[in-house]
Amino acid sequence: MNVADDDFPNISWDASKNALYDRHIQPPMQKTMSAGEVGCALSHVRLWRMLAEHADNVGPMLILEDDAAFYDSNSRSRPLHGKRRGFLEAFTELWKILPATWDILYFGFSPRGESDEVDTGAAIFPLRVFRPEYGFHTHAYAITRAAAVQLLDNGPVSGPVDVWLADNNWFGLNVFCAMVANEGYNHEGRSLIGQIRTQSDSDIGMSGRPVSRS
């Protein structure tokens, strides 16, 4: 992968704001990105640049990391409201209610702080759509060309790419998250595209958290 000088992240980053939302962050607040985090950031920036270099009328890009797993109620012990449903049905319903002004749409997200909920009305598929205050993950999201250009204009990335985005409030972009309502942790929602960490060989160490020792 060819890397432009402007695309390489600042590997030294300040975790002070991140620590307000992640109880695992410990002093000192000045952190150094892991090699895995650098590689992850470079991959996302490279995709943003590929999208930005297209014509103005190009459609949005769906970005998936290698451990992404699409929602399928068949994989759950209980059918969703008595029916077996999956990602495509949820996405079809989501597209009807998603505000047209969106710039980034997360299909998988771990929200922190307050959420600005979107009225999903009488959606056939039970969805939760909201604007996040803060949160983590970049394993599954869609992004418009205009948003990609804006992120590149505000680069380089400093720190883990998901934290950099949230720390900077996504640089004023219109960001939404979509989840399956009434599922997941505390029934706050399950990601439309989750992660299967046990089936991946991810070596992306988290520089903001202490290294665990067995």
Side-chain angles (χ1 to χ4, degrees), residues 9-195:
N10 289 327
I11 64 172
S12 180
W13 64 285
D14 186 347
S16 298
K17 185 174 182 179
N18 187 211
L20 300 176
Y21 298 92
D22 186 346
R23 61 184 175 83
H24 298 286
I25 303 299
Q26 297 181 5
M29 289 297 109
Q30 199 65 27
K31 308 292 185 182
T32 301
M33 294 174 69
S34 69
E37 288 172 335
V38 171
C40 181
L42 286 171
S43 296
H44 285 273
V45 172
R46 176 57 177 160
L47 290 171
W48 298 344
R49 191 164 296 284
M50 289 172 61
L51 178 58
E53 290 173 351
H54 278 280
D56 291 347
N57 61 350
V58 70
M61 175 184 283
L62 175 63
I63 296 178
L64 301 174
E65 294 180 355
D66 60 1
D67 56 357
F70 288 77
Y71 175 84
D72 179 4
S73 66
N74 285 306
S75 64
R76 310 296 168 192
S77 59
R78 293 186 299 105
L80 182 63
H81 297 280
K83 298 180 180 179
R84 296 293 187 184
R85 294 176 169 178
F87 174 82
L88 289 179
E89 185 175 357
F91 180 79
T92 300
E93 195 69 18
L94 170 64
W95 208 245
K96 299 175 185 176
I97 60 178
L98 182 68
T101 56
W102 73 274
D103 294 310
I104 296 176
L105 172 62
Y106 284 97
F107 294 100
F109 197 69
S110 181
R112 299 291 189 276
E114 300 297 321
S115 298
D116 183 9
E117 304 289 332
V118 173
D119 183 6
T120 58
I124 298 174
F125 193 102
L127 291 171
R128 180 189 175 203
V129 182
F130 61 94
R131 299 173 69 115
E133 174 185 324
Y134 198 91
F136 306 109
H137 297 320
T138 51
H139 64 274
Y141 64 97
I143 181 171
T144 65
R145 179 186 179 276
V149 170
Q150 187 160 328
L151 294 182
L152 291 169
D153 287 344
N154 283 281
V157 171
S158 180
V161 64
D162 59 336
V163 174
W164 177 72
L165 290 169
D167 274 358
N168 291 283
N169 195 30
W170 294 272
F171 301 97
L173 294 169
N174 290 320
V175 176
F176 293 90
C177 305
M179 298 179 129
V180 180
N182 305 316
E183 290 199 19
Y185 180 73
N186 284 342
H187 300 285
E188 294 176 355
R190 188 182 302 279
S191 294
L192 288 174
I193 303 179
Q195 290 177 288

